């Protein structure tokens, strides 16, 4: 018989089988528990346990809830090792071991999957545990928690039961507990006596049977396997699926299940539980930062039910300064924890997020993982650790996710306006920056309102991972309860979203959709402004401003420049945009869409002339209109070349969807008729003649110049004259003429004849030498297939991945909104291909074109100017296929620069 693969990995004081590198197999939690327990530099006090691999989860999912053969035996064997290490026995009436079953995927998904604690408590083991602990209150408290959690997670959720709101088993049991407290005149859960809890447990079990029509299992092994199955099933729970969609985590990774000996933070006043970060996750400050609760179990901290105590004196806040810190309450344990903190940082060389429990004065480590952090914190931690000698420059560059830069460049509440404003409440600064929006009180409303184009602040009583979609949609999140380590705070921080939690003054009434602060009521739709960096809530709309001139950021970007090899340009259509992009570090313009002069401010006159040109019937009429348009073209091009003085500017020849410019409104039609000396009817008729069934594939781009060479000629003249004038003014312009929507080299050749002729004429007229490049967009699949020929004439290629994606997929770029959500939902696509390059398909077209193009012309300059050019994954792809530069919108330039540097570092490390 062949031996079953290894499915179960033990960790504990001796003989740990896994390590931190085995994240894919053991999940983040499992791999790090093994590392903490087993690595010779660490050997931390980790309660013994074992990890069932992610492969088992995948098997379980593919085989309708069956486990692979051999698993049972491996679990039994590992459990025996755990029993030996802990000196207790699972299910033993005298000396019972209790365990937890926890999820843990490759990437952390805080609060999105399930956990069951205290597994193994039953009528057989309860008396023994009471005898052993001499603490019946603790035992019955643990038991009532087990019943609540287990019935909710294993018997209800994992069974796919979806009770109506407020009718879930957990809520029903919570209500029973509240009723008992009320009847007895108690305030806190801790007021409940052992007898109260014992009676409550009996009542709970009766309720579970009544509601779920099954008895609560009294067999420890049934509980254990129920817990394991529930963890695996929770991989496909609603929250987990929604979170994976947002974070782009593949469905087939699966979660591991960690079965670990229970240690108890709720055994009395010398017991406690806590969560900490080795550095401040909001600001990055090099300060041990965390929260703890005396006499509590782990989920009490993260569930955001009680406002937790501060970890140490240095990190007390307005909200928790009255509560004793761990440093004050248990100084020895605090020192031990501080020492562990230092060892963990030295070992992992990164900020860690840890969970710990203190059982009757003894410290245990329950988790450590790389901590989620804001963009500000990521930047500060990277630069500090570099200075401390913990990491090298390359690692520092890799430590800030390109998307996080966005947050550093994004708005904060205008400090001047803030000085004058009156705060209505304050809470914990869980996610940075500023946000201003209309308040809504449910996750669904946040999603709905956002869809309608509104900016909303999601206000909730407490933080609840089920709100993940609403949190994502909202511009900011505000909660009345919870701490910095509550799940919602973690999630918001991971996204760099402005978030304030634990604003205790706020009384939320989700049913009436309003909140009350100091007696004043705020209704759904009222405006508030949040300062997530300081944790302050303001009434009304305060202005937001850009967070510029951060010296730390400048230092970091200087490092980025040191490692970046791929060029970064910008897509800019106005001198103003060009200027901003230059400040952000753009090295030129990769796409100047000349049509811009017909939109927006100051466009009335050129648009009017363009319309005349479009509706012209004869070359003569057209030429007249073009002559009128010429000065506008030249002015725009000159301004942009000037703003980018010394740097290349890729000017694209007109690529207007003509029908969009045909006037629909009667007044405009009349005006045009008058100017052209024709009737309104004529204007209408000519407009109708321009109608195309499929304008995206119609008379656009180079085709326009093929039919009407005078259009090309006028533009090219404007480009060369603008250049000549600048040269004469002592400037250094670098124009690159780009022909759009080409599919054959002959289009390029014909256009080039015009370019050559006009070039000679302008050089002669101005008496200057004008150098320029001539190239094409590659945005039609056929152009990729014949790229070797295209490169005979083109000196550069710029991939127009908007159109290339449109024509490669056959997905209309303007209509994809109608079906993309289904494609993402059904996992046909993992991401919107118009935002991030589809490397599998469109990527092949790109690679082929790069290779073919360079085969003809080895020094062919190649870039990208589609929207994907600012997307970090696409930037990495562009680097890998050998492009010279990417081009993106001005605000994404720093992001692209960082992504480019990271791509080079990753590539050189691979080598
Ligand atoms: C493209 O197609 O990728 C492109 C940049 O051109 P446009 O979006 O103007 O069609
Ligand atoms: Mg295009």
């Amino acid at each position: 018989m062949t031996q079953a693969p290894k499915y179960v990995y033990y960790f504990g004081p001796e003989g740990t089988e896994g390590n931190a590198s085995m994240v894919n197999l053991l999940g983040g939690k499992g791999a790090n528990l093994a590392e903490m327990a087993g690595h010779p530099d660490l050997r931390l006090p980790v309660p013994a346990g074992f990890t069932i691999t992610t492969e088992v989860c995948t098997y379980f999912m593919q085989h309708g809830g069956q486990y692979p053969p051999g698993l049972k035996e491996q679990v039994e064997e590992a459990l025996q090792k755990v029993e030996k290490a802990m000196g207790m026995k699972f299910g033993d009436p005298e000396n019972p071991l209790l365990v937890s079953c926890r999820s843990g995927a490759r990437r952390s998904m805080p609060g999105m999957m399930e956990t069951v604690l205290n597994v193994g408590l039953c009528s057989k083991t309860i008396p023994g545990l009471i005898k052993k602990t001499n603490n019946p209150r603790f035992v019955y408290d643990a038991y009532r928690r087990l019943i609540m959690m287990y019935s909710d997670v294993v018997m209800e959720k994992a069974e796919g039961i979806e009770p109506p709101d407020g009718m879930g088993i957990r809520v029903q049991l919570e209500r029973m507990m509240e009723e008992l407290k009320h009847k007895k005149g108690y305030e806190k859960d801790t007021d409940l006596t052992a007898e109260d809890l014992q009676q409550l447990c009996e009542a709970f079990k009766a309720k579970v049977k009544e509601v779920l029509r099954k008895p609560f299992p009294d067999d420890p092994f049934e509980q254990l396997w129920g817990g394991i199955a529930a963890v695996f099933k929770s991989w496909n729970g609603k929250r987990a699926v929604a979170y994976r969609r947002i974070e782009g985590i593949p469905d087939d990774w699966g979660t591991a299940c960690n079965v670990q000996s229970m240690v108890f933070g709720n055994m009395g006043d010398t017991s406690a539980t806590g969560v900490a970060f080795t550095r401040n996750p909001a600001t990055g400050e090099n300060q041990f930062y965390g929260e703890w609760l005396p006499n509590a179990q782990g989920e009490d901290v993260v569930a955001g039910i009680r406002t937790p105590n501060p970890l140490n004196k240095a990190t007390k806040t307005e909200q928790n300064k009255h509560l004793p810190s761990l440093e004050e309450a248990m100084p020895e344990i605090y020192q031990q924890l501080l020492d562990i903190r230092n060892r963990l940082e030295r070992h992992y060389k990164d900020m860690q997020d840890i969970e710990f429990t203190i059982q009757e004065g003894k410290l245990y480590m329950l988790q450590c993982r790389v901590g989620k952090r804001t963009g500000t914190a990521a930047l500060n931690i990277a630069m500090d650790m570099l200075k401390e000698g913990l990491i090298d420059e390359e690692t520092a560059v890799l430590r800030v996710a390109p998307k996080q830069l966005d947050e550093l460049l994004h708005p904060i509440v205008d400090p001047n306006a803030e000085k004058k404003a009156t705060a209505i409440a304050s809470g914990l600064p869980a996610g940075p920056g500023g946000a201003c929006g209309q308040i809504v009180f449910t996750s669904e409303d946040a999603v709905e309102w956002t869809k309608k184009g509104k900016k909303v602040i999601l206000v909730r009583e407490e933080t609840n991972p089920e709100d993940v979609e609403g949190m994502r949609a909202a511009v900011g999140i505000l909660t009345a309860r919870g701490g910095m380590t509550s799940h919602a705070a973690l999630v918001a921080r991971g996204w760099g979203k402005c978030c304030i939690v634990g604003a205790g003054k706020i009384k939320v009434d989700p049913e009436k959709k309003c909140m009350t602060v100091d007696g004043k009521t705020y209704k759904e739709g009222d405006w508030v402004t949040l300062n997530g960096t300081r944790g302050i809530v303001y009434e009304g709309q305060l202005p937001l401003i850009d967070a510029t001139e951060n010296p730390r950021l400048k230092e970091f970007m200087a490092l980025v420049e040191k490692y970046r090899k791929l060029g970064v340009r910008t897509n800019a259509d106005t001198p103003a945009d060009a200027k901003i992009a230059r400040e952000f570090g753009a090295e030129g313009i990769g796409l100047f869409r000349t049509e811009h002069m017909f939109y927006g401010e100051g466009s009335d006159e050129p648009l009017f002339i363009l319309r005349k040109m479009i509706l012209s019937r004869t070359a003569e009429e057209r030429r007249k209109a073009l002559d009128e348009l010429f000065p506008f073209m030249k002015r725009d091009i000159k301004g942009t070349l000037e703003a980018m003085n010394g740097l290349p500017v890729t000017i694209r020849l007109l690529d207007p969807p003509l029908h969009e410019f045909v006037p629909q409104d009667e007044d405009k039609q009349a005006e045009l008729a008058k100017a052209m000396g024709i009737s309104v009817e004529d204007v209408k008729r000519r407009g109708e003649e321009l109608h195309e069934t499929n304008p995206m594939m119609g008379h656009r781009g180079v085709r326009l110049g093929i039919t009407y060479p005078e259009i090309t000629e006028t533009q090219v003249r404007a480009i060369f004259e603008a250049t000549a004038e600048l040269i004469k003014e002592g400037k250094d312009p670098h124009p690159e003429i780009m022909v759009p929507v080409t599919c054959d080299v002959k289009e390029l050749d014909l256009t080039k004849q015009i370019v050559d002729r006009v070039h000679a004429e302008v050089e002669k007229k101005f008496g200057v030498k004008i150098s320029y490049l001539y190239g094409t967009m590659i945005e039609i699949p056929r152009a990729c297939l014949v790229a070797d020929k295209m490169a005979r004439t083109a000196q550069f290629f710029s991939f127009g991945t908007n159109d290339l994606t449109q024509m490669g997929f056959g997905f209309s770029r303007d209509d994809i909104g109608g079906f993309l959500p289904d494609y993402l939902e059904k996992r046909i696509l993992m991401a919107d291909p118009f935002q991030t390059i589809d490397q599998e398909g469109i990527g092949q077209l790109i690679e082929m074109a790069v290779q073919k193009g360079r085969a003809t012309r080895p020094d062919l300059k190649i870039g990208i100017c589609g929207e994907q050019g600012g997307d970090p994954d696409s930037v990495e792809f562009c680097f890998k296929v050998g492009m010279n530069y990417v081009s993106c919108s001005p605000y994404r330039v720093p992001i692209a620069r960082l992504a480019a540097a990271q791509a080079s570092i990753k590539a050189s490390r691979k080598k």
Side-chain angles (χ1 to χ4, degrees):
M1 208 177 100
T2 51
Q3 214 186 340
K6 188 163 175 62
Y7 294 125
V8 178
Y9 288 74
Y10 167 82
F11 56 84
E14 266 175 72
T16 293
E17 296 174 310
N19 63 54
S21 71
M22 297 163 76
V23 176
N24 292 0
L25 192 63
L26 304 182
K29 191 189 283 268
N32 287 313
L33 279 169
E35 185 84 359
M36 283 198 291
H39 195 283
D41 291 347
L42 295 171
R43 295 265 153 86
L44 303 183
V46 173
F50 54 86
T51 304
I52 307 175
T53 64
T54 52
E55 283 172 358
V56 176
C57 181
T58 325
Y59 184 101
F60 184 82
M61 240 106 68
Q62 287 165 353
H63 294 79
Q66 296 287 313
Y67 292 112
L71 178 74
K72 200 159 176 283
E73 293 73 19
Q74 291 189 28
V75 165
E76 278 164 11
E77 200 182 308
L79 188 60
Q80 280 170 17
K81 269 193 184 171
V82 175
E83 289 172 341
K84 192 161 161 251
M86 300 303 288
M88 288 184 271
K89 208 166 155 44
F90 189 69
D92 189 84
E94 307 288 325
N95 186 19
L97 171 75
L98 303 188
V99 297
S100 62
C101 298
R102 292 170 188 264
S103 55
R106 253 187 235 198
R107 278 229 316 260
S108 146
M109 297 168 54
M112 300 301 150
M113 288 182 292
E114 302 298 351
T115 288
V116 196
L117 304 179
N118 306 336
V119 171
L121 263 185
C122 57
S123 53
K124 195 168 79 173
T125 53
I126 287 174
L129 194 65
I130 293 178
K131 203 163 151 216
K132 194 178 148 202
T133 58
N134 200 16
N135 192 342
R137 190 195 176 280
F138 151 72
V139 176
Y140 285 110
D141 187 45
Y143 193 41
R144 69 98 189 155
R145 286 172 192 265
L146 169 68
I147 302 171
M148 285 173 123
M149 233 182 268
Y150 195 95
S151 59
D152 171 36
V153 171
V154 185
M155 300 174 74
E156 192 173 84
K157 285 209 179 84
E159 291 300 317
I161 301 170
E162 287 188 22
D165 232 16
M167 291 307 286
I169 186 69
R170 191 165 189 145
V171 181
Q172 295 204 46
L173 300 183
E174 271 164 8
R175 232 180 272 141
M176 285 168 72
M177 190 160 115
E178 284 308 310
E179 275 162 22
L180 180 67
K181 273 160 65 185
H182 184 74
K183 204 171 95 193
K184 299 259 178 175
Y186 301 152
E187 267 197 16
K188 298 184 294 231
D189 292 0
T190 41
D191 294 336
L192 290 162
T193 65
E195 290 71 36
D196 294 332
L197 287 163
Q198 187 178 3
Q199 280 168 19
L200 197 60
C201 288
E202 290 311 308
F204 273 8
K205 286 195 281 186
K207 189 75 184 176
V208 168
K209 190 158 179 204
E210 175 200 320
V211 175
L212 299 171
R213 301 186 189 285
K214 264 190 216 162
F216 183 78
D218 200 37
D219 175 64
F221 283 92
E222 188 184 339
Q223 289 179 5
L224 175 64
W225 286 101
I228 294 171
V231 164
F232 288 144
K233 286 183 189 169
S234 72
W235 174 255
N236 281 333
K238 262 193 189 158
R239 276 179 277 152
V241 170
Y243 188 82
R244 286 207 294 277
R245 260 341 63 121
I246 294 167
E247 294 282 313
I249 297 174
D251 284 338
D252 58 8
W253 279 3
T255 177
C257 175
N258 298 289
V259 177
Q260 188 176 23
S261 315
M262 283 299 303
V263 284
F264 298 96
N266 56 341
M267 278 180 101
D269 294 338
T270 55
S271 300
T273 186
V275 178
F277 295 88
T278 56
R279 299 187 187 211
N280 188 315
T283 64
E285 211 177 336
N286 185 1
Q287 219 161 24
F288 194 21
Y289 184 93
E291 291 165 339
W292 71 291
L293 278 175
N295 200 8
Q297 269 196 332
E299 79 275 13
D300 296 346
V301 185
V302 291
I305 295 163
R306 284 157 68 180
T307 295
N309 301 24
L311 191 69
N312 45 27
K313 285 180 274 188
T315 58
K316 285 190 173 184
T317 63
E318 273 309 302
Q319 285 71 40
N320 61 21
K321 65 179 182 204
H322 59 288
L323 300 169
S325 68
L326 187 71
E327 187 179 12
E328 292 155 306
M330 303 184 186
E332 277 169 31
I333 299 262
Y334 178 75
Q335 276 312 316
Q336 195 189 342
L337 194 62
L338 190 62
D339 174 59
I340 289 176
R341 174 246 187 192
N342 296 337
R343 283 163 63 193
L344 283 174
E345 274 216 345
R346 275 200 303 275
H347 182 71
Y348 283 101
K349 303 185 192 313
D350 199 357
M351 186 266 267
Q352 300 291 303
D353 161 356
I354 62 181
E355 279 179 23
F356 62 91
T357 281
I358 301 157
Q359 176 178 308
E360 299 189 306
K362 184 165 172 7
L363 174 68
Y364 291 95
M365 298 300 296
L366 298 187
Q367 174 167 299
C368 91
R369 61 183 172 199
V370 171
K372 284 197 190 297
R373 63 203 75 182
T374 63
T376 311
L379 173 73
N380 289 331
I381 292 172
M383 296 310 282
D384 283 346
M385 287 193 166
L386 175 65
K387 294 228 159 72
E388 291 159 28
L390 220 51
I391 56 174
D392 59 16
E393 286 182 354
E394 294 188 352
T395 309
V397 170
L398 291 172
R399 280 288 165 80
V400 180
K403 281 193 184 120
Q404 287 183 312
L405 268 192
D406 206 28
E407 179 196 318
L408 290 161
L409 303 164
H410 267 112
I412 55 171
V413 181
D414 179 349
N416 289 324
E418 213 175 344
K419 264 185 224 147
K420 290 179 220 135
T422 332
I424 55 169
S426 66
L428 298 169
C436 173
Q438 293 175 276
I439 52 176
V440 293
F441 295 89
T442 68
S443 176
E444 293 76 32
D445 286 338
V447 172
E448 277 306 304
W449 286 47
T450 306
K451 271 195 196 145
K452 289 185 198 139
K454 297 190 175 168
K455 286 198 161 63
V456 302
I457 307 275
L458 177 62
V459 183
R460 301 288 285 157
E461 173 67 20
E462 60 191 321
T463 53
N464 181 344
E466 285 177 11
D467 295 334
V468 54
E469 280 166 294
M471 290 163 62
R472 181 68 175 181
V475 294
I477 300 153
L478 171 62
T479 77
R481 292 198 279 177
M484 282 288 276
T485 48
S486 60
H487 285 141
L490 286 187
V491 170
R493 198 174 302 127
W495 292 335
K497 183 152 290 192
C498 177
C499 175
I500 298 175
V501 298
K505 259 214 247 170
I506 294 177
K507 302 282 167 281
V508 184
D509 187 340
E511 250 130 66
K512 292 204 186 111
K513 299 199 172 179
C514 68
M515 65 176 191
T516 318
V517 189
D518 289 334
K520 182 166 177 187
T521 302
Y522 299 84
K523 298 184 307 295
E524 182 181 62
D526 285 348
W527 287 84
V528 300
T529 301
L530 309 182
N531 178 337
T533 313
R534 294 172 58 208
I536 303 177
V537 187
Y538 300 96
E539 182 180 298
Q541 291 172 265
L542 297 192
L544 303 178
I545 58 161
D546 277 343
T548 47
E549 292 308 300
N550 174 351
R552 228 36 203 307
L553 183 60
K554 285 190 174 164
E555 231 182 298
F556 178 75
M557 290 312 285
L559 266 192
V560 165
E561 289 308 281
K562 194 165 156 186
Y563 292 94
R564 177 171 68 87
K565 295 193 184 93
L566 181 69
V568 177
R569 297 194 190 180
T570 190
N571 292 359
D573 308 327
T574 63
D577 276 357
K579 250 193 220 117
I580 297 174
R582 242 191 133 142
E583 278 158 21
F584 282 139
E587 298 163 301
I589 291 183
L591 175 63
F592 173 41
R593 289 182 171 101
T594 38
E595 303 76 70
H596 186 86
M597 74 176 82
F598 308 118
Y599 301 104
E601 220 183 310
S603 63
D604 283 355
E605 211 181 336
L607 178 60
F608 186 72
I609 308 169
L610 177 79
R611 284 173 166 162
K612 281 204 285 188
M613 194 271 282
I614 290 173
L615 298 181
S616 299
R617 274 275 163 80
T618 62
E620 197 186 332
E621 265 180 348
R622 196 170 304 108
R623 193 170 280 284
K624 213 167 133 235
L626 281 165
D627 286 346
E628 281 181 68
L629 209 47
F630 179 79
F632 292 99
M633 289 182 175
K634 192 161 103 180
R635 181 199 62 192
D636 258 39
I637 292 166
K638 191 173 171 187
T640 303
L641 281 169
E642 194 170 7
M644 277 287 160
N645 192 40
L647 298 175
V649 176
T650 309
I651 303 155
R652 182 175 73 180
L653 300 184
L654 274 178
D655 179 14
L658 289 187
H659 67 288
E660 275 182 23
F661 291 104
V662 173
Q664 300 302 332
D665 141 352
E666 304 250 325
D667 285 354
K668 291 265 178 324
Q669 288 174 345
E671 214 182 314
L672 209 58
K674 198 166 157 227
M676 295 179 73
I678 56 175
S679 69
V680 175
E681 289 316 304
D682 244 357
V683 168
K684 282 191 186 159
R685 200 172 320 113
R686 290 186 190 190
E688 279 158 17
E689 279 166 20
L690 283 171
H691 173 82
E692 291 179 317
T693 313
N694 205 340
M696 274 290 188
M697 293 198 247
H699 207 174
R700 61 178 285 213
V702 68
R703 297 158 205 171
L704 214 58
I706 297 292
T707 317
Y708 310 118
E710 56 274 20
I711 298 183
T712 305
E713 178 173 341
T714 308
Q715 292 178 80
V716 171
R717 194 176 300 283
I719 295 170
F720 286 137
E721 288 206 6
T723 309
E725 284 179 14
L726 286 169
I727 295 172
K728 290 207 130 175
E729 290 163 24
K731 305 272 165 43
D732 181 23
H734 292 266
E736 300 179 345
I737 297 174
M738 179 157 79
V739 188
V741 203
T742 52
C743 61
D744 195 285
V745 69
K746 288 188 227 75
E747 294 167 323
L748 283 177
D749 291 338
L750 266 179
T751 308
K752 184 73 178 5
Q753 286 173 13
I754 301 170
V755 173
D756 286 343
R757 176 167 54 79
V758 177
H759 181 250
E761 284 168 15
V762 176
E763 278 197 337
K764 191 159 165 228
K765 177 173 165 193
F766 285 80
V768 290
K769 279 227 89 47
I770 301 171
S771 27
Y772 70 100
L773 289 182
Y774 179 74
T776 182
M777 292 196 64
I778 300 285
E779 51 184 344
I780 294 181
R782 188 178 192 277
C784 298
L785 299 170
V786 298
D788 46 348
K789 300 203 176 93
M790 303 293 269
R792 282 188 204 150
T793 306
Q795 293 170 294
F796 67 88
F797 284 174
S798 177
F799 285 95
T801 39
N802 303 331
D803 277 310
L804 192 59
T805 301
Q806 165 164 270
M807 291 185 245
F809 269 98
F811 288 168
S812 159
R813 54 196 269 194
D814 294 337
D815 304 307
I816 191 174
F819 53 87
L820 180 69
D822 296 319
Y823 271 64
L824 296 176
E825 177 74 29
K826 303 203 162 118
R827 294 292 175 126
I828 299 170
L829 292 177
M830 291 299 285
D832 177 353
F834 288 99
Q835 287 183 38
T836 187
I837 291 177
D838 156 54
Q839 298 187 17
E840 189 190 359
I842 304 301
Q844 286 195 48
L845 287 171
I846 295 174
E847 268 194 275
M848 179 203 292
V850 170
Q851 280 164 16
K852 283 186 171 241
R854 291 243 168 88
T856 303
R857 191 188 284 270
D859 65 346
L860 184 73
K861 237 202 217 182
I862 303 178
I864 175 177
C865 62
E867 268 314 292
Q868 299 89 338
D871 163 71
D873 290 338
S874 307
V875 171
E876 187 174 348
F877 172 78
C878 293
F879 174 76
K880 279 194 198 146
V881 300
M883 288 194 198
N884 300 84
Y885 68 87
V886 295
S887 186
C888 57
S889 60
Y891 283 93
R892 288 165 89 189
V893 166
I895 298 169
R897 283 164 61 200
L898 176 56
Q902 293 186 343
S904 320
I905 293 171
K906 282 188 216 162
S908 71
R909 287 194 169 181
K910 247 198 197 135
K911 267 188 212 153

